[in-house]
Amino acid sequence: MKRERAAAVLSRAKGLAAEIRWFLGISLSATLLFPESAAPADVSQGAQIAATCASCHDQTGGGQAIPPIAALDEQAIVKAMLAFRASESPSLVMHAVALSLSDDEVAATARFLADRANAGRQP
Amino acid sequence: MTDWTRRQIGGLAGGALLAVAAPHIVRGQGRAKVVVIGGGIGGATVARYLGDMKSIDVILIEPNSTHVTCFFSNLYLAGLRSLASLTFGLETLAEGHGITIIRDRAVAIDPAGRAVELRGGTRLSYDRLVVAPGIAFKFGEIEGYDEAAAKIMPHAWIAGPQSELLRRQLESMDDGGVFVIAAPPNPFRCPPAPYERASLAAYYFKQFKPKSKILILDAKDKFSGQELFQDAWSRHYPGMIEWLPSQFTGAIKAVDVAARSVVTEGETFRAAVANIIPAQKAGLIGEKAGLTDASGWCPVDPVTFESTLQPGIHVVGDSIIGGDMPKSAFSANSQAKACAFAIAASLTGSPQFPPHLFNSCYTFLAPDDAFTNALTFAPEGGRIKTVKMFISKVGESAEVRRRTAHHAVGWYSAFTADVFGGGS
C-alpha cells in the first residue's frame, strides 16, 4: 500500500538522519532535515498527483460547476475515478486523467485527499 | 601521520549520505533559495507550490503588480466579462504562501555565478532559477508591423492594455466594417484562441453591428479545432466569418498602418479594425540568457523542466519547446507543478515521482456554446509525448455545450485560485 510505502520511505529517511547524526557526533537536529513545523506539508506521490486536481477543483471545497472533491472520502474518490476511467461521459477531462493514473496512483491520491479532508475537520 | 578515528570516517560517510539526502544542506548554506522570473501562470504556479513546501526560500521577480489572464480575454473583447474580473494581484502569493515578491525586471542572468541581475541594480543569488518569461513577438516578419504599429493594429496577444485597445476599436467600429484577424504561424500561444476570438467577435457584431464581417487571414492551412469552429460559425454566424488559409493568400507579407490595410502575396485587404497576431518566440530574457535554441524557444528536460542548455535553470510555460504540449495556461500550470516537485527533490531530497502532465482547454463558440479538450502527456526519449487526446465532437447537443460553457466558468475560478493563491 502506498501509505505504508510512504511511511516506510519517511521512516528510512528519518533513520538515515539519525545515523548521520550519530556519525557526525554532533547535535544535527532532525528538524533540520525533516523539520516538523517547516516541513513540506506533504510531497508524497498522492500529494504530487493531487496537485493536478487543484487545476480544476476548488481546494477550499467550494467552486462553481466543477464538483468539489475536498470533502470526499477515500472510497468515493476511488469509485468515481474508476467510473471516469471506464467512460468518456460525463467528463472528457476526468476520463483522460483517470486513464493516465495506475490503480496504485489513484489509491495514493484518494488517500491523500481524504487524509487532508480529515485533518481539516479536526478541531 | 593522520589518525583517522571512526567518528571522522563516519563523518565523511555521513556527509556523503547527507549529500544524497539533502544536497543543499550539506553545503552548509541553510535554506535553499529559488528565484522565479515571471509572475504569469507558469512562474506564479512554481512559486506557489515551492512556497507551500515551507522548506525553500522563494523569490518571485515580476515588474507588474497584477496579471491579466490571456485565457478568457476573448470574452472581454466581446463585452461578456470585465477586464477587472481577469486581473489578479500577486499579494496572496506573498501573504498566504510565504513568497518574497520583488517588483522589478530581470535584465541579466549569470548562470556560472548563479545570480540574477535586476534593472534596479540588485543582484540576487540562487540555488535554482526558474524562468517563465512567456512569449515575445517576432516583429519584422510582417513588413511594417512593429511595436509602434501594434498601438494602431493591436495584437492583443498579451492581455491588458492591448486588449483594451482592441475592445475600444471594436466598439467604435461602424456597422458593416471588416474586422481582420491575422492568425500566426505555429507554434504560438493558445492554438484555438484566434478562432475563438473570431467567434466571440461575431457574437458581439451579431447583436450590435450585424452587417459587419470578420476575415481571418491565416499563416497556416489548418488550425486547432477547425471542424468544431467551422460547424459553430455556420450555426451561429452564417456568412459573417471568412477564413482564408495561407495557400489561398500566400500569407501576410506587410501591413500599412496609415491605410489600415493588410497585404498578402496576391491581394490587399482593407480593415476597419485589424488585429495582427505576429509569429512568436520565447520571452526576451530566455534569449538573453542563452536558454533558447535556433527555434527561438527554450529546450528543456521533460521530467524536471531544467534547461538542456543551461544547467541549474528551469523553464516552464509558453517559452518552452520540445514536445507535444501546446502553449496554454493549463500546460504551464501542469509543467510548473512537475518542475516545483523536481526542484524540491533536488534541493531537499524529497521524493520524486514520474510527472503527470496534462492540458485541458475550454473554448467558447458563443456564451452558451463551448467545447473542451483533454490531453495527457508523458516524457519519452527526452521529449514530451502525447499519450491520450480527447476533444468535444461536432453534433453534440446544445445541453452538452451549455454544460461545458458552465464548467469553463467554474474551471476559471478554481484555476486562477490555484495559480495566484487560494485554498490550501
Side-chain angles (χ1 to χ4, degrees):
Chain A
M1 299 292 280
K2 290 288 171 184
R3 182 157 51 185
E4 282 76 2
R5 205 177 302 161
V9 169
L10 188 61
S11 168
R12 277 202 302 276
K14 284 183 173 168
L16 177 63
E19 200 170 340
I20 291 164
R21 195 168 62 236
W22 177 83
F23 271 139
L24 294 174
I26 59 172
S27 179
L28 177 62
S29 165
T31 59
L32 178 63
L33 259 182
F34 303 99
E36 289 296 321
S37 61
D42 192 337
V43 285
S44 65
Q45 186 175 30
Q48 295 194 18
I49 297 170
T52 297
C53 307
S55 301
C56 301
H57 294 276
D58 187 295
Q59 293 182 73
T60 60
Q64 325 151 38
I66 295 179
I69 55 171
L72 292 179
D73 70 44
E74 193 175 328
Q75 280 314 306
I77 295 170
V78 171
K79 200 173 156 191
M81 290 299 285
L82 296 180
F84 283 126
R85 190 190 284 169
S87 170
E88 281 188 28
S89 178
S91 169
L92 285 184
V93 180
M94 287 311 302
H95 182 56
V97 171
L99 279 173
S100 77
L101 300 179
S102 68
D103 288 348
D104 279 353
E105 288 172 328
V106 168
T109 310
R111 197 168 301 117
F112 169 79
L113 289 168
D115 285 351
R116 190 172 65 179
N118 286 334
R121 280 192 280 267
Q122 300 299 317
Chain B
M1 187 179 168
T2 307
D3 183 16
W4 289 96
T5 65
R6 176 182 170 177
R7 180 169 293 181
Q8 284 168 314
I9 294 167
L12 287 174
L17 287 168
L18 184 55
V20 173
H24 185 80
I25 291 166
V26 85
R27 293 203 300 270
Q29 297 169 339
R31 285 162 65 90
K33 184 161 81 177
V34 176
V35 173
V36 180
I37 297 175
I41 303 304
T45 305
V46 170
R48 186 237 162 110
Y49 276 80
L50 284 171
D52 282 352
M53 291 176 194
K54 299 187 174 77
S55 51
I56 294 170
D57 288 335
V58 183
I59 298 172
L60 177 61
I61 312 298
E62 169 56 51
N64 301 308
S65 60
T66 57
H67 178 83
V68 185
T69 66
C70 283
F71 49 103
F72 274 41
S73 66
N74 286 329
L75 292 168
Y76 162 74
L77 292 175
L80 296 165
R81 277 188 87 120
S82 68
L83 206 61
S85 75
L86 310 179
T87 304
F88 296 85
L90 300 176
E91 59 277 1
T92 307
L93 289 175
E95 291 158 11
H97 302 277
I99 296 158
T100 302
I101 294 173
I102 298 180
R103 288 273 309 280
D104 205 338
R105 185 177 293 281
V107 291
I109 297 169
D110 171 8
R114 297 212 164 202
V116 177
E117 194 180 311
L118 307 185
R119 185 165 53 192
T122 306
R123 187 177 161 89
L124 287 172
S125 64
Y126 62 81
D127 294 299
R128 290 273 164 168
L129 176 67
V130 181
V131 180
I135 56 163
F137 299 111
K138 291 181 174 174
F139 286 117
E141 291 212 345
I142 296 173
E143 191 187 329
Y145 195 72
D146 54 17
E147 284 186 64
K151 294 194 167 98
I152 296 163
M153 294 179 163
H155 52 73
W157 219 243
I158 293 173
Q162 278 277 306
S163 317
E164 292 179 293
L165 175 59
L166 183 55
R167 171 69 185 157
R168 281 198 302 275
Q169 291 184 353
L170 292 174
E171 281 181 306
S172 59
M173 190 181 99
D174 290 336
D175 189 10
V178 177
F179 173 37
V180 172
I181 299 175
N186 291 323
F188 65 99
R189 165 178 282 176
C190 197
Y195 316 96
E196 182 194 60
R197 178 169 290 180
S199 306
L200 293 177
Y203 172 79
Y204 167 68
F205 289 158
K206 195 174 169 181
Q207 296 171 89
F208 299 104
K209 306 167 199 272
K211 290 183 278 184
S212 304
K213 305 275 186 210
I214 296 165
L215 175 63
I216 305 170
L217 298 175
D218 211 321
K220 308 176 291 299
D221 289 331
K222 57 184 182 180
F223 60 89
S224 175
Q226 187 164 341
E227 276 187 37
L228 289 153
F229 280 110
Q230 290 179 328
D231 165 67
W233 294 344
S234 64
R235 284 188 292 115
H236 295 304
Y237 320 111
M240 286 185 78
I241 301 174
E242 186 178 7
W243 172 69
L244 292 181
S246 172
Q247 61 184 331
F248 290 179
T249 64
I252 295 175
K253 300 295 175 199
V255 294
D256 183 336
V257 171
R260 288 264 170 123
S261 62
V262 179
V263 183
T264 66
E265 206 163 81
E267 208 172 337
T268 297
F269 298 88
R270 284 267 303 164
V273 175
N275 171 207
I276 309 296
I277 308 166
Q280 293 156 33
K281 59 182 181 177
L284 296 179
I285 188 77
E287 196 172 280
K288 243 181 131 178
L291 296 165
T292 54
D293 64 14
S295 72
W297 303 97
C298 305
V300 294
D301 177 286
V303 175
T304 62
F305 291 87
E306 186 170 2
S307 166
T308 57
L309 302 176
Q310 297 285 6
I313 303 178
H314 300 249
V315 189
V316 295
D318 289 346
S319 58
I320 72 160
I321 194 92
D324 297 339
M325 285 186 96
K327 300 187 183 302
S328 73
F330 202 112
S331 291
N333 173 263
S334 182
Q335 294 159 8
K337 289 170 183 174
C339 178
F341 288 120
I343 288 173
S346 155
L347 293 178
T348 70
S350 64
Q352 187 173 7
F353 302 94
H356 286 273
L357 299 168
F358 298 98
N359 180 60
S360 177
C361 292
Y362 291 96
T363 303
F364 284 88
L365 302 161
D368 60 352
D369 184 349
F371 72 87
T372 187
N373 65 4
L375 296 94
T376 62
F377 306 90
E380 188 188 310
R383 294 174 64 82
I384 301 170
K385 293 280 188 191
T386 302
V387 178
K388 298 276 183 192
M389 179 171 78
F390 303 93
I391 186 163
S392 300
K393 295 174 180 65
V394 169
E396 284 175 337
S397 71
E399 177 49 33
V400 166
R401 293 298 181 80
R402 245 192 312 275
R403 199 164 57 230
T404 304
H406 187 49
H407 281 165
V409 176
W411 166 79
Y412 184 88
S413 167
F415 183 79
T416 49
D418 183 41
V419 173
F420 295 107
S424 59

